Amino acid sequence: MAAIESGRNMSENGKEKSPRSQVPGRGAKIRFVERGVAFLLALVLLRSSFAHVGNPYYFLSDVYAYKILGLDLGFWWSMVLPFMQMGFAASLILKYALSESYLLVTMLFLSFFAVQVATIIRGLEISCGCFGASSSLMVGWTSSSVALGLAGMAGLGFLLARRLKRGPS
């Protein structure tokens, strides 16, 4: 009652509310967008990982085609990457270490972008290999733009997750 009489907008626990926290539904909108970003990224990661697990030899040949990793490292990378992608997708969906997951996914897509740009610069005409044998997308500015766009989307998710973690301010 004293808060009403003084003209201040107080919460139930006696602390003064900030003007931003008084906007109805603002946190819900941020949460909705963050969940949308998480599910879209998880869908892309799962689609890619299942394609690679479903045809591991094709994926291995795609990894070797980039001519960046040697035989041994390329072999291990082709075995580990699909399961990393599955783990990142699960983390995003289940909101486990959400900010950290978004940061790792951002770095993953930025590395895909860097590798594709290096491939373009070296003049290699190879399949992207992003979504397995069913994908005929060649490495080029289109595929690298997709990787960069997904990195930007993951970066947005990181910012939104941090914002939700801090609470309204």
Side-chain angles (χ1 to χ4, degrees):
M1 193 71 169
I4 296 172
E5 293 170 2
S6 67
R8 290 185 176 173
N9 192 356
M10 304 290 261
S11 68
E12 292 175 13
N13 63 2
K15 293 183 179 177
E16 189 172 353
K17 290 183 181 179
S18 70
R20 282 188 173 180
S21 66
Q22 296 171 24
V23 177
R26 187 160 193 255
K29 290 176 186 175
I30 293 172
R31 194 171 301 108
F32 178 77
V33 172
E34 183 276 321
R35 289 288 76 208
V37 167
F39 280 102
L40 284 172
L41 288 171
L43 181 67
V44 169
L45 290 166
L46 289 173
R47 167 66 176 91
S48 177
S49 64
F50 286 140
H52 299 324
V53 168
N55 197 346
Y57 293 110
Y58 184 83
F59 181 49
L60 178 62
S61 70
D62 282 337
V63 170
Y64 287 153
Y66 279 92
K67 298 180 181 177
I68 291 177
L69 304 175
L71 292 177
D72 291 335
L73 190 56
F75 174 77
W76 286 105
W77 181 246
S78 69
M79 285 182 25
V80 170
L81 179 62
F83 297 101
M84 281 176 45
Q85 291 175 314
M86 286 180 199
F88 293 157
S91 292
L92 292 173
I93 291 169
L94 299 174
K95 298 196 266 187
Y96 180 78
L98 194 57
S99 296
E100 295 81 359
S101 297
Y102 275 121
L103 190 58
L104 289 170
V105 171
T106 302
M107 291 189 307
L108 179 69
F109 283 122
L110 284 175
S111 69
F112 291 165
F113 172 73
V115 166
Q116 289 187 17
V117 168
T119 301
I120 293 167
I121 290 170
R122 291 184 296 149
L124 296 177
E125 294 183 15
I126 60 173
S127 169
C128 171
C130 304
F131 300 106
S134 65
S135 174
S136 61
L137 185 62
M138 299 298 286
V139 172
W141 294 113
T142 301
S143 65
S144 60
S145 296
V146 169
L148 186 60
L150 289 168
M153 190 180 212
L156 172 65
F158 172 76
L159 294 174
L160 293 172
R162 297 281 299 192
R163 178 67 179 244
L164 289 170
K165 197 177 204 180
R166 276 196 332 242
S169 55

